[in-house]
Amino acid sequence: MSTTGLSMTLIFLRGRMTIKINIGAGKFNLAGWTNIDHRSGHYCKNRIDVDIDLMSDYRFPYKDGAVECAYTSHVIEHLPEPDVEKMFRETYRVLSRGGIFRVTCPDARAGWSALINGDNEFFKIYDIAGVFNSPAFEKKYSRTKALKDATIGQKFIYFLAPARCVHINVPVSKVTDADLEDLKALPMGEALDHITDVMDDKIRAANPWMHVSWWSVDKVSQYLRAAGFKNVYQSCPFYSASKLMRDQKYFDWALPKLSLYVEAVK
């Protein structure tokens, strides 16, 4: 065996050559991690190691049990529920025994509670972030009004399903504040289903940044268990059970006050 081959073997035996995947990685760029994402006009500058459309008929390019850990941040809300089911099943397949899958996304239950209780503080990011207010971003995100000037009801709709916000110019029926008052009388899940169930494939494909499904800790946990995970638990930002997913520079930095965190162990 060559010196190089021996060195590589020793590295492998020491456990350093492991596969770690970030699904829907976006701008994530951390050495030793594989970015799985789909190149499009909206996401054309990101580092993509494995190009997969998560709404296609795909398999992750790994053998069963080959992956040490997996991370996905603010991705599942961009996918229809059947595609989330598939992503969770594929992640379970490729994870090694004891491997951890960390999921974070907007917390629809917390958002609904903030709406019901008139908690504007929950939606403060929409008052201060330039991407939601600056004219420079109006065309890219089809926005007709600065969200700092929107009602709490429309901030909630933007949080949950932007296409249905009255200030987003895409051809989808809008949920007005009056509609929201009627929806408040329904059970949460029924109301949120009503809001998110109208996006068609063409609009979704043209606007990959939009949220099209809603998630709570209970719902994410249910889908993970259906994928095969037995040990599923709620987590919190920056406190993964895996030391590989605790660096705050790379993990859990996206809107932590609006997000939920769930981990599943194979």
Side-chain angles (χ1 to χ4, degrees), residues 54-56 58 79-88 204:
L54 294 172
M55 291 189 288
S56 68
Y58 69 90
L79 302 174
E81 291 176 7
D83 294 308
V84 176
E85 288 184 73
K86 177 167 185 176
M87 188 240 276
F88 284 4
R204 187 183 300 116

Side-chain angles (χ1 to χ4, degrees), residues 115 120 123 145-157 166-167 176-177 180:
L115 172 69
N120 270 294
F123 302 104
K145 183 177 183 176
L147 292 187
K148 64 183 176 62
D149 298 322
T151 64
I152 187 173
Q154 291 308 309
K155 289 172 186 173
F156 169 75
I157 294 299
V166 298
H167 306 306
T176 67
D177 288 351
L180 266 180

